[in-house]
Amino acid sequence: MSLVSSNDNSLFSKTWYEDNTEKNIYFSKVTTNQTCDVAIIGGGLAGLCLLRNLLEKGVDVLLLEAREIGQNASGRNGGFCTPGWASSSEEIVKLVGPRVADELNQFSLDGYNWMRERMCSEEYESLDIKKGVLSVSCSGAPVSECPVGSRVIDKNELQSFLKSDRYNYGIYCEEGYQFNPLNFLKCLQKEIINLGGRIFTKSKISSMEHMKDFSVLKVNNSEINVKAKRVVFATGGYGGRETGKVSKSILPIQTYIAVTSPLTVRQKEIINCDWAIYDTRRAGNYYRVLPDNRLLWGHSITALGTKNIDKIKKNALKDIASIFPQLISDTCSQETLKIDYAWSGNMAYASHMMPFVSEIGSRIYSLVGFGGHGMNTAPAAANILGDWLAGSSDKFKIFEQIPYAWNWGVIGPIGAETKYFYYKLMDKIAELKS
């Protein structure tokens, strides 16, 4: 079953989540001039969390989204939520020192717990959550120690869960969830609606003019104005030049996901667990079996251009075959694995893999850069920024300790792709040595 043609842009192609979601919640575009204390630009997870936080504190706030809520990175990712940041603990310590690294680690846990509280509530039961995360290694020997709540799975035991000769060992951790991220955003929108929140979709900021005490946002190249005392850019990898300094820090990296046809009983025995799985290669895969027994497979990145639908499908099948050759079977037509969904998403990355949460101008803030680990870190940062804007906490100052990362302008994407291919080469060398 082919859901979209190869000519369609994979950044906006239909996802499995869209076919397995709650009823859409529709908002209208802004049609009259608006005023507010805080204007949030961007309706992904970070923007929605900030909106909810400020509404609870009685702040006069509204949100503007250029498309529809959840159609960008926050509703198109792999659906993993675990503690931590995209950058490793060791790299964070090198970047900001041990004291700030400890604070950031606690922030990541706070964000994870905020998500877990919702995911496990009745109001969010449509998420189809499953608990448990398994990291698998294609090289090296099993570690002697692992974090509390985790355990090492050696190669022999691992074969009972994942029938692949590529993996040397795994580490299973109870602290982690998989879920439908688009449904999460819809449940979060219901909370916001109950709080009386103002959300405007199909409302793209075309320009921004700064006055003494407020900013004026032009919407959709029209005469519609939004006057705000403070502005927050939560645009992720989809923001353009209108975001100013944000666009010079963040690289929009395209990541790719494919979803297969439903696995047969025999194929399900090859991936015989319901955990969220990722391998530890620097250019590795992440995957999970969905509630309808399809395999969601995340693979590869690009920074220069976007792969079309057919290319994503071919790459995914090749990738799956390299790990689980038994899944790609020609012995009978009923067991031939096909790709039914394929899409990409613009994830926002800084060069140091940490978010850009800062005051970037007088009363102008950034809340971006959560690529690779956003489902816990975006809420964490949004809630901390919300507390700062409402005057109830100064934890926001910790983010000022993360150095600004320039994206190297036009040569940034070239560098990102070069780095990715270097990682793939190093991964291959490490496997050959094992």
Side-chain angles (χ1 to χ4, degrees):
M1 178 176 63
S2 178
L3 298 178
V4 289
S5 73
S6 61
N7 293 323
D8 283 340
N9 186 339
S10 60
L11 280 172
F12 306 110
S13 59
K14 195 174 190 181
T15 70
W16 178 87
Y17 300 128
E18 291 175 82
D19 276 346
N20 293 272
T21 188
E22 288 194 331
K23 184 179 179 181
N24 280 331
I25 302 172
Y26 291 105
F27 301 97
S28 61
K29 65 181 180 181
V30 59
T31 56
T32 59
N33 292 339
Q34 303 285 325
T35 61
C36 60
D37 184 7
V38 179
I40 303 167
I41 303 172
L45 182 58
L48 290 176
C49 288
L50 177 60
L51 177 60
R52 184 192 178 282
N53 178 288
L54 292 175
L55 286 170
E56 276 197 322
K57 293 176 171 59
V59 176
D60 181 21
V61 57
L62 61 79
L63 183 146
L64 301 163
E65 163 57 42
R67 299 181 68 234
E68 297 289 347
I69 301 297
Q71 286 189 348
N72 297 330
S74 295
R76 300 172 71 83
N77 59 71
F80 288 35
C81 184
T82 58
W85 298 88
S87 185
S88 69
S89 298
E90 295 77 14
E91 290 300 320
I92 296 173
V93 170
K94 291 179 185 177
L95 187 69
V96 297
R99 182 188 65 80
V100 174
D102 286 345
E103 295 270 15
L104 291 170
N105 178 59
Q106 185 58 53
F107 290 173
S108 85
L109 290 172
D110 292 343
Y112 172 75
N113 290 331
W114 188 92
M115 290 288 293
R116 180 174 60 184
E117 179 183 344
R118 278 157 181 76
M119 287 188 290
C120 297
S121 68
E122 291 184 5
E123 292 78 9
Y124 283 72
E125 63 183 358
S126 63
L127 302 189
D128 295 315
I129 65 168
K130 296 176 185 177
K131 191 174 184 181
V133 175
L134 177 67
S135 66
V136 287
S137 178
C138 296
S139 61
V143 296
S144 57
E145 296 183 7
C146 56
V148 176
S150 303
R151 71 179 183 92
V152 176
I153 301 176
D154 64 26
K155 188 163 188 172
N156 288 335
E157 184 184 358
L158 192 58
Q159 284 279 338
S160 65
F161 301 114
L162 302 173
K163 292 179 172 54
S164 173
D165 293 330
R166 292 287 298 277
Y167 299 137
N168 286 6
Y169 69 94
I171 297 178
Y172 171 73
C173 179
E174 293 182 351
E175 290 299 327
Y177 290 89
Q178 56 173 295
F179 62 103
N180 184 324
L182 185 58
N183 269 351
F184 186 92
L185 296 183
K186 294 193 175 176
C187 293
L188 185 55
Q189 288 171 68
K190 290 179 182 178
E191 285 193 60
I192 290 168
I193 291 169
N194 290 337
L195 291 169
R198 284 186 285 171
I199 295 177
F200 299 99
T201 56
K202 297 181 180 177
S203 300
K204 182 176 176 59
I205 299 305
S206 50
S207 66
M208 181 169 62
E209 185 178 1
H210 302 293
M211 305 297 186
K212 181 180 179 182
D213 298 316
F214 56 86
S215 296
V216 177
L217 309 173
K218 289 283 187 183
V219 182
N220 293 335
N221 290 308
S222 69
E223 295 302 313
I224 300 298
N225 293 334
V226 174
K227 185 186 294 186
K229 294 179 182 178
R230 293 174 287 182
V231 176
V232 179
F233 286 105
T235 48
Y238 289 81
R241 291 182 179 178
E242 73 278 0
T243 65
K245 191 175 182 180
V246 171
S247 66
K248 297 177 181 178
S249 173
I250 296 302
L251 271 174
I253 302 294
Q254 287 76 48
T255 60
Y256 298 95
I257 291 178
V259 174
T260 70
S261 52
L263 302 178
T264 64
V265 173
R266 184 193 69 85
Q267 290 171 332
K268 186 66 173 64
E269 291 174 352
I270 296 168
I271 303 178
N272 187 29
C273 64
D274 283 328
W275 302 325
I277 303 162
Y278 67 93
D279 71 54
T280 56
R281 294 176 297 170
R282 287 165 289 189
N285 301 118
Y286 51 94
Y287 53 96
R288 61 193 181 99
V289 177
L290 297 168
D292 59 359
N293 281 328
R294 299 174 187 270
L295 177 63
L296 179 148
W297 190 269
H299 65 288
S300 75
I301 69 163
T302 58
L304 294 168
T306 303
K307 297 176 184 177
N308 63 33
I309 302 299
D310 283 348
K311 185 70 171 176
I312 298 171
K313 290 181 177 182
K314 290 176 183 177
N315 286 356
L317 287 174
K318 181 179 178 181
D319 215 21
I320 294 169
S322 71
I323 304 294
F324 300 106
Q326 316 95 302
L327 281 178
I328 310 299
S329 170
D330 293 321
T331 56
C332 64
S333 59
Q334 291 93 333
E335 291 200 353
T336 301
L337 197 69
K338 298 181 177 66
I339 302 296
D340 284 349
Y341 298 80
W343 69 85
S344 63
N346 266 341
M347 306 297 168
Y349 288 86
S351 59
H352 51 39
M353 305 290 285
M354 292 297 287
F356 183 28
V357 183
S358 177
E359 184 171 7
I360 57 176
S362 179
R363 306 180 309 279
I364 310 297
Y365 296 83
S366 65
L367 181 64
V368 297
F370 303 103
H373 224 291
M375 301 308 285
N376 70 306
T377 58
N383 288 328
I384 288 169
L385 176 57
D387 292 346
W388 169 263
L389 294 173
S392 59
S393 170
D394 63 356
K395 289 182 180 180
F396 173 73
K397 292 182 179 180
I398 292 294
F399 287 109
E400 295 177 348
Q401 305 304 310
I402 301 174
Y404 175 77
W406 181 46
N407 65 10
W408 293 90
V410 294
I411 67 172
I414 299 172
E417 292 236 3
T418 302
K419 189 174 184 179
Y420 177 69
F421 284 115
Y422 169 76
Y423 283 161
K424 289 182 70 174
L425 176 62
M426 293 298 100
D427 290 336
K428 188 67 176 177
I429 292 171
E431 285 190 60
L432 292 173
K433 287 181 177 179
S434 295

